C-alpha cells in the first residue's frame, strides 16, 4: 500500500477519515508534530473492547500524528502552500497529535481578561498567575510533592519546594523543558465530577475530540444530545486545559475547522463558507466491498437537521474564543499561526463582517441562532450574540497574522469594535436614570440629531421593571430594534458583557449590583436563571408559538441553567 504524501480516501484497507465534500478545502500542511499518548491512556477507559468495534485501522502520520491508508489508484485532494505558488499534495490525518502543551498548576484561572487589548484602557487590570515550563534542558520529569507554607519562613524559604526528595528553589525550575506536576488533595465531589466528564468524552479514531452534550444511559431517544456541541464543549475544554490536558482541545479545534470546509446545503441553498457546525457526532459505517470492516466518520450538523432549521451563529464565535484561550493557557501559539487555522478565522470574520442592509454595528440574526435555540423572541440583535461577537473580534485581532492579505480585515475589526462598544454601552444600558429618560422621550422624531433614535414609545416599559430594578445597579437589555426594546434580563449576555469588557467599568459594577440585589430572582435555590422574567400567558403563546418545552420558568423561558455558573466564576476572577 502506498503512503505517499496525499489527502485521499482509501479502499485498500479500512481507515478512519473525514468525508470531505467541499469544493474549497482548507487543509494545509504543517511541520511534523510529536504525538503524546498520556491523555489517551486516561480517556480510553470509556471505550469498549476494540474487538467489538469492527476493524478500525489508523497509521502513523508525519503531519498530524496518524495517517490513513491510501490507494495509489484513487485521486487526492490538492491544496496550495502558504505562498499560493506551486500546488502541493498532503497526506491526510484523522487524528491530531499533541503540540508543545505544558502542564499547569491546578486552579490557575484562564486569562480571559487579557485575551486582547480593549478599545479603551483596562481598569483594575489583574494578571493571572501562570507557570510555564518552556525551553531549557531535557531532564527527568519533576514531581513536586509538597509546598512549604510556613508563615514564619521568609520569602526565600516560601519559594522552596521538595522535588524528588530534594529541597529545590522553584525559581530555578524556570526554563526547564519538562512537565511540573503539583499533587494536591482532590475532594470526592471533584473526583466524581472528573469521572463524569471523562465518561462523556467522545473518541474519533481512538483520540478524544470533545464531550457529548448529555450522557444519560437511560435515555433511549437522546435526539442530538449525544453529539458534541461547540458552545457546550467550551467549559469542558477550559477544565481540561487548566488540568494540563490540552490534546482533546487541540483535536476539537482542528476537527471542527476541517468540518467548516464542508459544503452546507438546505433546500438547494448554501450558506457562507465560514459557518461552523452547531454540533457533530461520530458514526461508524461499513466500508464498500468490505467483509465486516468499518470506519469512523464525522457527521456535522450546520442547522439542516436542527429543530427549526436555524444555522448556529454563535458556533464560530465560540470557536475563536476557545482557540485564543487554548493559546493563552498552553502557550502553544503555533496552532493559531497555522495557515489553515488563519484561513478559518478569516472565513468566520468575513461571514460576520460582510456588508448588508443593516444600519447598526450589531450582528443581525434570526430567532434560535444561539444558546437559546428555540423560538423565544430574540430575533434581531440579541445581547448574547453581540457580547460574543465583540469578544471574538478582540480575540481575532490578537491572533491574526498581519500581512497584506489581512491588514484590511484588521482595520475593519478595529472599526467594528469601536462602533459596537459605543452602540451597546449607549443604547442597551438600562438603569433608573435611563428609565426616567425613556419616560420623557419624544416620539416620531425625524432628524439626524434625534434623542429617541429608535422611536421607542414609553408605554413599552413593562410594569414589572420599575419595581424590579434596584436604585444602585442596572443591566444590558436583551434586544434592541426599531420601536422595540426587550427589557428581559438575559444572564449569558450580561455576563459576557463583563468578561469581554464590552461594558464600561461602571456598567459592569452595576450589573453585579443588580445580580446581588435580585439574587432570589436570578439565582434562587437552583442557579442560574437563563433570563428573567419568563414569558407567560398570552405573551408566551404569541412569542413562543405555544412551545410546550418553553413553558413559563422552564428551559429557555426563565429556566435554571447551572452551566452558566462557570461564566459567573470568570466574572469574579476578572474583577
Amino acid at each position: 500500500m502506498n503512503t505517499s504524501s496525499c489527502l485521499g480516501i482509501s479502499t485498500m484497507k479500512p481507515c478512519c477519515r473525514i468525508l470531505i465534500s467541499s469544493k474549497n478545502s482548507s487543509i494545509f500542511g504543517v511541520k511534523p508534530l510529536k504525538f503524546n499518548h498520556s491523555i489517551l491512556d486516561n480517556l480510553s477507559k470509556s471505550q469498549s473492547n476494540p474487538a467489538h468495534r469492527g476493524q478500525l485501522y489508523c497509521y502513523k502520520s508525519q503531519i498530524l500524528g496518524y495517517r490513513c491508508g491510501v490507494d495509489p489508484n484513487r485521486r487526492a485532494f490538492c491544496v496550495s502552500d502558504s505562498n499560493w505558488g506551486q500546488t502541493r499534495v498532503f497526506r491526510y490525518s484523522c487524528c491530531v497529535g499533541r503540540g508543545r502543551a505544558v502542564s499547569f498548576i491546578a486552579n490557575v484561572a484562564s486569562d480571559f481578561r487579557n485575551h486582547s487589548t480593549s478599545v479603551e484602557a483596562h481598569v483594575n487590570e489583574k494578571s493571572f498567575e501562570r507557570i510555564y515550563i518552556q525551553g531549557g534542558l531535557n531532564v527527568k520529569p519533576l514531581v513536586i510533592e509538597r509546598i512549604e507554607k510556613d508563615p514564619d519562613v521568609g520569602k526565600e524559604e516560601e519559594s522552596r519546594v521538595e522535588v524528588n526528595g530534594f529541597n529545590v528553589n522553584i525559581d530555578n525550575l524556570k526554563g526547564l523543558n519538562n512537565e511540573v506536576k503539583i499533587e494536591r488533595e482532590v475532594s470526592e465531589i471533584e473526583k466524581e465530577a472528573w469521572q463524569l466528564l471523562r465518561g462523556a468524552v467522545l473518541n474519533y479514531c481512538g483520540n478524544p475530540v470533545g464531550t457529548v452534550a448529555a450522557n444519560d444511559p437511560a435515555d433511549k431517544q437522546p435526539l442530538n444530545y449525544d453529539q458534541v456541541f461547540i458552545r457546550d464543549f467550551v467549559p469542558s475544554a477550559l477544565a481540561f486545559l487548566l488540568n494540563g490536558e490540552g490534546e482533546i482541545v487541540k483535536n476539537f479545534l482542528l476537527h471542527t475547522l476541517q468540518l467548516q470546509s464542508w459544503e452546507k446545503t438546505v433546500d438547494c441553498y448554501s450558506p457562507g463558507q465560514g459557518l461552523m457546525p452547531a454540533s457533530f457526532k461520530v458514526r461508524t459505517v461499513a466500508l464498500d466491498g468490505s467483509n465486516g470492516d468499518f470506519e469512523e466518520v464525522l457527521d456535522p450538523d450546520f442547522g439542516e437537521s436542527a429543530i427549526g432549521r436555524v444555522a448556529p451563529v454563535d458556533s464560530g464565535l465560540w470557536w475563536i474564543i476557545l482557540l485564543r484561550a487554548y493559546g493563552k493557557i498552553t502557550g502553544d501559539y503555533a496552532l493559531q499561526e497555522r495557515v489553515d487555522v488563519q484561513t478559518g478565522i478569516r472565513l468566520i470574520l468575513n461571514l460576520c463582517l460582510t456588508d448588508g442592509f443593516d444600519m447598526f454595528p450589531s450582528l443581525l440574526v434570526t430567532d434560535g441562532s444561539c444558546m437559546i435555540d428555540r423560538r423565544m423572541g430574540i430575533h434581531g440583535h440579541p445581547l448574547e450574540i453581540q457580547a460574543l461577537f465583540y469578544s471574538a473580534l478582540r480575540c481575532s485581532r490578537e491572533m491574526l497574522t498581519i500581512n497584506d492579505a489581512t491588514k484590511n480585515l484588521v482595520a475593519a475589526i478595529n472599526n467594528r469594535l469601536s462602533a459596537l462598544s459605543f452602540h451597546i454601552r449607549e443604547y442597551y444600558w438600562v438603569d433608573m436614570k435611563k428609565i426616567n429618560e425613556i419616560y420623557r422621550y419624544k416620539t416620531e422624531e425625524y432628524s439626524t440629531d434625534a434623542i429617541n433614535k429608535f422611536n421607542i414609545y414609553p408605554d413599552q416599559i413593562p410594569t414589572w421593571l420599575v419595581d424590579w430594578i434596584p436604585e444602585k445597579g442596572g443591566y444590558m437589555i436583551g434586544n434592541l430594534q426599531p420601536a422595540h426594546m426587550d427589557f428581559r434580563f438575559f444572564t449569558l449576555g450580561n455576563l459576557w458583557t463583563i468578561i469581554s469588557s464590552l461594558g464600561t467599568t461602571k456598567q459592569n459594577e452595576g450589573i453585579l449590583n443588580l445580580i446581588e440585589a435580585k439574587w432570589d430572582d436570578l439565582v434562587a435555590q437552583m442557579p442560574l436563571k437563563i433570563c428573567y422574567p419568563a414569558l407567560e400567558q398570552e405573551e408566551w403563546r404569541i412569542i413562543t408559538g405555544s412551545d410546550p418545552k418553553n413553558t413559563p420558568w422552564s428551559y429557555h423561558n426563565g429556566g435554571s441553567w447551572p452551566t452558566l455558573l462557570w461564566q459567573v466564576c470568570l466574572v469574579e476572577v476578572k474583577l
Side-chain angles (χ1 to χ4, degrees), residues 324-350:
R324 179 61 173 164
Y326 172 84
K328 292 290 289 185
I329 296 177
T330 65
D332 181 14
Y333 294 105
L335 179 64
Q336 70 187 42
E337 295 169 357
R338 287 176 41 157
V339 178
D340 54 345
V341 175
Q342 289 284 311
T343 302
I345 296 173
R346 292 200 302 270
L347 287 175
I348 295 173
L349 294 178
N350 289 336

Side-chain angles (χ1 to χ4, degrees), residues 247-374:
E247 181 188 13
I248 183 174
V249 182
K250 187 173 184 179
N251 292 349
F252 170 85
L253 290 168
L254 290 175
H255 281 302
T256 50
L257 176 65
Q258 292 169 342
L259 295 175
Q260 183 194 43
S261 65
W262 278 41
E263 184 178 349
K264 290 81 69 172
T265 304
V266 179
D267 293 339
C268 303
Y269 178 76
S270 298
Q273 267 193 317
L275 181 65
M276 298 292 285
S279 62
F280 65 87
K281 62 182 178 181
V282 177
R283 290 192 300 112
T284 302
V285 297
L287 286 171
D288 294 337
S290 63
N291 193 16
D293 292 338
F294 296 88
E295 63 179 348
E296 290 183 337
V297 297
L298 292 180
D299 185 11
D301 177 19
F302 292 93
E304 71 272 19
S305 300
I307 299 173
R309 301 301 188 265
V310 180
V313 176
D314 64 336
S315 291
L317 307 178
W318 281 117
W319 186 86
I320 290 176
I321 293 170
L322 181 59
L323 176 64
R324 179 61 173 164
Y326 172 84
K328 292 290 289 185
I329 296 177
T330 65
D332 181 14
Y333 294 105
L335 179 64
Q336 70 187 42
E337 295 169 357
R338 287 176 41 157
V339 178
D340 54 345
V341 175
Q342 289 284 311
T343 302
I345 296 173
R346 292 200 302 270
L347 287 175
I348 295 173
L349 294 178
N350 289 336
L351 193 62
C352 294
L353 298 174
T354 184
D355 295 331
F357 293 102
D358 202 15
M359 295 290 292
F360 311 129
S362 48
L363 212 54
L364 178 63
V365 301
T366 63
D367 213 341
S369 59
C370 53
M371 180 180 178
I372 299 178
D373 56 2
R374 299 175 74 89

Side-chain angles (χ1 to χ4, degrees), residues 502-563:
L502 177 55
T504 65
T505 304
K506 185 177 180 180
Q507 290 172 345
N508 293 343
E509 293 175 354
I511 294 172
L512 292 180
N513 289 337
L514 180 137
I515 294 175
E516 183 179 10
K518 298 301 174 182
W519 190 267
D520 292 339
D521 293 332
L522 301 176
V523 181
Q525 298 183 13
M526 174 60 73
L528 190 61
K529 297 296 182 186
I530 191 172
C531 66
Y532 182 91
L535 301 173
E536 297 181 288
Q537 298 177 355
E538 193 67 21
E539 194 176 27
W540 165 75
R541 284 190 289 271
I542 294 173
I543 294 179
T544 71
S546 300
D547 187 351
K549 274 198 169 184
N550 277 333
T551 53
W553 305 111
S554 62
Y555 206 29
H556 299 128
N557 190 14
S560 298
W561 292 68
T563 185

Side-chain angles (χ1 to χ4, degrees), residues 50 135 167 195 239 301 312 356 392 422 424 435 440 472 531:
N167 198 16
Q195 183 179 2
D301 177 19
F422 174 81
I424 299 298
I435 291 175
R440 298 191 298 269
K472 295 182 179 179
C531 66

